Amino acid sequence: MIKHLLFAPGPRTKGLATSLMSASLLLASAAATADNPALPTQIVDLANKVDGVHPGYRAFHAKGVVVEGTFKASAEAAQLSSAALFSGSTIPVTARFSDGNGVPTTPDGGAAMPRGIAIKYHLPGGADTDMVTNSFKFFPVGTGEDFRDLLTAISETTPDQPHPNKIEQFMGSHPQAPKALGTLGVPDSFADEEYHGVDAFIFVNKSGQRQAVRYLIEPEKVVHITADEAAKQTPNYLFDDLSKRLAKKPVVFHLKVQLAAPGDQTKDASLPWPDDRKVVDLGVLKITRIVPNSPEAEKKLLFLPTNLPAGIELSDDPLPSLRSAAYGVSYGRRSQAQ
Ligand code: HEM
């Protein structure tokens, strides 16, 4: 169970511009992880050790489907951030739903959490910005080093080890990790799951006011099934369900943010803010169809948590830059395998 728990552009391909932008973002992420440049590669190596090497596939969230749709911001959104994303005009999006581990054939009802949705918003003028979220309410760890150590503990845990085994020792010394795992459920559909940005970002509005936020992508209803029900599902039930639903009507989510109150920390993604913090509805995300060549499209797609427009900035949370650097390593390897 624990072993599998963690764990570039589609039809609107823009070619050189996007790859140059991704390259500069990856360089920026590498600079941000300069104090431990080997860490992103160490993490991707450990992901491959835990889930095996699958050429052409992502080291995490290997099983996915590419969809298209639109986003339309609410009036409140522009009061919080000057980002073009929140202008109120209808913004086309390319997104990818996914299971969490690095196994491209993982059964959806098995150890395939967290589920993910990564979104690329295609802004007026040709640029795009990304949001990469999953179904953890908060993350098991707050640093890349702890994430590496968690993967190491998973890779070194064997059934015959005396208790506490490696992973139990890690969970014992990182109390937020089992709590974070406890927030995960098995959805009946990608459309009935709630996704979280987990990391804190800073919204900057036209008057220069700065507000720390964490994303929440809320479905019309959250539906989780029991482990017994999950075990009875067909291996691709989430993907089959999604195409059935989209054949009938769009799948709708509300993009929201939780606002930090003065004094709330932003550095550690494993420490959630209290539930009483204000939540603002930023607008409606409507998923309308699965792209015709999804397996091909997902190979070219790279979503980077640091691909931010003016009006949205990184906080002191170290994970987004570390993540982008690791995503770059995984993207590089899966691009070579094609
Ligand atoms: C230390 C923290 C993390 C590391 C090292 C990490 C690493 C990775 C890697 C290597 C990939 C494959 C990227 C690719 O080949 O394009 C990936 C994909 C993904 N990760 Fe993370 N991740 C981390 C934290 C998170 C968090 C906090 C979230 C969500 C809040 C998240 C959500 C996702 C999603 C949704 C994908 C699939 C993206 C796609 O569809 O292309 N990850 N992660």
Side-chain angles (χ1 to χ4, degrees), residues 118-142:
I119 308 160
K120 193 174 284 295
Y121 301 86
H122 304 289
L123 304 174
D128 51 42
T129 181
D130 301 337
M131 241 174 241
V132 190
T133 70
N134 69 24
S135 53
F136 272 118
K137 284 197 170 40
F138 50 89
F139 210 54
V141 293

Side-chain angles (χ1 to χ4, degrees), residues 327-337:
Y327 292 29
V329 172
S330 171
Y331 179 76
R333 291 183 185 179
R334 61 188 172 86
S335 305
Q336 271 155 24

Side-chain angles (χ1 to χ4, degrees), residues 7-8 39-40 43-44 47 56-66 95-100 114-119 131-136 138-148 151 195-199 201 215 269 298-299 301-305 317-320 322-335:
F7 313 12
L39 188 58
I43 288 175
V44 173
Y57 289 92
R58 290 159 170 76
F60 285 114
H61 293 264
K63 185 180 179 182
V65 62
V66 180
R96 181 175 179 269
F97 287 104
S98 56
D99 283 331
R115 274 74 193 182
I117 182 170
I119 308 160
M131 241 174 241
V132 190
T133 70
N134 69 24
S135 53
F136 272 118
F138 50 89
F139 210 54
V141 293
T143 67
E145 288 76 8
D146 276 352
F147 192 63
R148 175 203 55 210
L151 293 174
Y195 305 92
H196 298 256
V198 168
D199 294 306
F201 292 92
Y215 292 116
E298 72 175 0
K299 286 194 165 57
L301 276 169
L302 172 62
F303 300 89
L304 295 174
D317 181 335
L319 289 189
L322 182 271
R323 290 171 59 192
S324 283
Y327 292 29
V329 172
S330 171
Y331 179 76
R333 291 183 185 179
R334 61 188 172 86
S335 305

